[in-house]
């Protein structure tokens, strides 16, 4: 088994579980590769197996059986950019705060690794959003799992985002910005903007304005077979583009459009975890202090 590991620094109480993970992989004689920045951190924190190697962004992960993402949901979003079109299955191990995408807790790592080896899992394909800009502003990493956002500068006044679907004019959003979210991203930034929650298999995008000037402008669900393009107008000559956790300042001359990416992110889903149970446990759906008998898990 060939395993790649990406991660972020974790709390001290998670260290024994991560050490047990490394020891378990060593005992199974797995070929383990760890992203260089995380390996440097682990070298100073834990005991690494002797045959562990490292890799950097841009190195191919071809031939890897699974990628382990150790951290929070942001770490998993970053992991997707390392995997790209290879569509290697990703297992998210939660050592962060919310853990909506990274669902394996430290005390469940041993069972999760055993499930990988025994094949006791299913693969959950998640659609990605692709951003085409002229010129290219994301350095080739122009796809994301959650959302693409157009936002005003920190101190600038609101902007107008003139939006088109398949070349047909939709609306001019006078707002602090605009979010285009995937079904996976519907529980993220889009949700805080009043957008709906969509199950992951839904073939749609959500277009949600950020703090719109006109309160009758509401989030809109459109097919992810559409191409959505934008023109920006505002008093400032610069604004922000954000793709998941990657942000960059650009000027109004940049042309941009979004569409569904041709490949997907392939997440490992263990038998006891599904999207509906995650909604209940992470967003506290159904939890009501007036009803102590409510089942959330």
């Amino acid at each position: 088994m060939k395993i790649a590991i990406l991660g972020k620094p974790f709390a001290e109480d998670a260290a024994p579980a991560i050490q047990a993970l490394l020891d378990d992989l060593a005992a199974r004689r797995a070929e383990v590769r760890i992203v260089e920045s995380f390996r440097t951190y682990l070298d100073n924190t834990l005991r690494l197996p002797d045959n562990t190697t490292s890799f950097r962004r841009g190195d191919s992960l071809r031939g890897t059986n699974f990628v382990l993402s150790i951290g929070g949901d942001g770490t998993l979003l970053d992991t997707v950019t390392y995997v790209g079109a290879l569509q290697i299955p990703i297992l998210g191990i939660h050592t962060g705060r919310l853990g909506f995408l990274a669902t394996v807790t430290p005390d469940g790592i041993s069972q999760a690794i055993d499930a990988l080896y025994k094949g006791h899992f299913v693969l959950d394909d998640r659609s990605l959003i692709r951003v085409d800009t002229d010129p290219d502003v994301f350095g080739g990493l122009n796809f994301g799992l959650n959302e693409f956002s157009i936002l005003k500068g920190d101190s600038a006044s609101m902007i107008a985002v003139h939006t088109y679907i398949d070349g047909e004019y939709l609306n001019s959003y006078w707002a602090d910005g605009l979010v285009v979210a995937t079904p996976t991203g519907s529980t993220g930034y889009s949700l805080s903007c009043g957008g709906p929650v969509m199950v992951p298999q839904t073939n749609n995008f959500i277009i949600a304005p950020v703090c719109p000037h006109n309160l009758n402008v509401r989030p809109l669900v459109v097919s992810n077979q559409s191409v959505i393009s934008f023109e920006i107008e505002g008093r400032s000559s610069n604004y922000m583009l954000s793709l998941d956790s990657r942000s960059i300042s650009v000027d109004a001359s940049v042309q941009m459009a979004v569409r569904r990416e041709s490949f997907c992110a392939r997440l490992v889903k263990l038998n006891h975890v599904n999207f509906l149970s995650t909604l209940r446990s992470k967003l506290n759906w159904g939890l009501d202090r007036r009803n102590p008998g409510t089942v959330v898990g």
Side-chain angles (χ1 to χ4, degrees):
M1 186 83 78
K2 295 182 178 180
I3 305 289
I5 299 177
L6 294 96
K8 298 288 177 63
F10 42 79
E12 184 177 346
D13 58 0
I18 305 303
Q19 182 65 67
L21 164 66
L22 296 172
D23 293 343
D24 188 6
L25 293 176
R28 296 176 186 268
R29 298 186 178 181
E31 295 182 31
V32 178
R33 300 177 68 191
I34 305 176
V35 70
E36 190 174 63
S37 57
F38 191 48
R39 176 172 179 167
T40 300
Y41 168 76
L42 293 178
D43 271 332
N44 298 320
T45 310
L46 303 177
R47 183 181 65 261
L48 295 180
D50 293 335
N51 61 345
T52 301
T53 60
S54 61
F55 66 95
R56 300 179 179 180
R57 182 178 293 282
D59 293 346
S60 176
L61 294 178
R62 189 175 300 277
T64 301
N65 298 102
F66 296 98
V67 178
L68 307 185
S69 172
I70 301 175
D73 289 347
T75 307
L76 194 144
L77 295 177
D78 192 37
T79 300
V80 169
T81 67
Y82 279 83
V83 173
L86 293 176
Q87 299 187 139
I88 302 167
I90 300 170
L91 178 68
I93 297 173
H94 169 52
T95 59
R97 287 173 292 183
L98 182 60
F100 202 94
L101 296 172
T103 56
V104 177
T105 58
D107 59 3
I109 292 176
S110 177
Q111 295 90 332
I113 297 302
D114 196 50
L116 293 186
Y117 272 83
K118 292 180 177 178
H120 295 170
F121 62 88
V122 295
L123 295 178
D124 186 7
D125 287 352
R126 301 292 185 96
S127 61
L128 302 172
I129 189 168
R130 173 187 176 90
V131 182
D132 294 308
T133 61
D134 185 14
D136 175 27
V137 300
F138 288 109
L141 295 177
N142 61 334
F143 58 90
L145 179 58
N146 267 6
E147 74 271 316
F148 169 68
S149 306
I150 303 169
L151 303 168
K152 70 172 189 175
D154 290 339
S155 59
S157 59
M158 71 176 65
I159 57 177
V161 184
H162 308 298
T163 306
Y164 303 81
I165 298 178
D166 294 327
E168 182 177 345
Y169 176 66
L170 168 64
N171 187 35
S172 293
Y173 293 93
W174 291 90
D176 283 357
L178 192 70
V179 176
V180 182
T182 67
T184 300
S186 70
T187 55
Y189 194 5
S190 172
L191 183 63
S192 69
C193 296
V197 173
M198 294 196 295
V199 296
Q201 293 74 30
T202 307
N203 295 317
N204 293 306
F205 287 133
I206 302 168
I207 302 175
V210 180
C211 299
H213 182 65
N214 298 317
L215 297 182
N216 61 339
V217 177
R218 311 307 300 165
L220 178 69
V221 177
V222 302
S223 168
N224 65 6
Q225 300 303 307
S226 305
V227 177
I228 309 171
S229 55
F230 314 93
E231 295 175 356
I232 314 301
E233 179 185 347
R235 294 178 183 175
S236 174
S237 59
N238 292 280
Y239 54 94
M240 297 294 296
L241 298 184
S242 178
L243 184 56
D244 283 352
S245 57
R246 309 183 300 281
S247 299
I248 188 168
S249 176
V250 299
D251 61 55
S253 66
V254 174
Q255 298 179 337
M256 72 200 78
V258 300
R259 68 189 74 206
R260 179 173 178 167
E261 183 55 273
S262 60
F263 53 88
C264 64
R266 188 157 286 170
L267 306 184
V268 173
K269 185 168 67 174
L270 302 180
N271 294 335
H272 64 284
V273 176
N274 60 57
F275 180 74
L276 301 181
S277 66
T278 302
L279 282 180
R280 294 192 300 272
S281 63
K282 300 299 183 180
L283 298 185
N284 291 331
W285 277 28
L287 185 63
D288 191 331
R289 64 191 305 175
R290 299 168 299 179
N291 182 9
T294 299
V295 177
V296 177

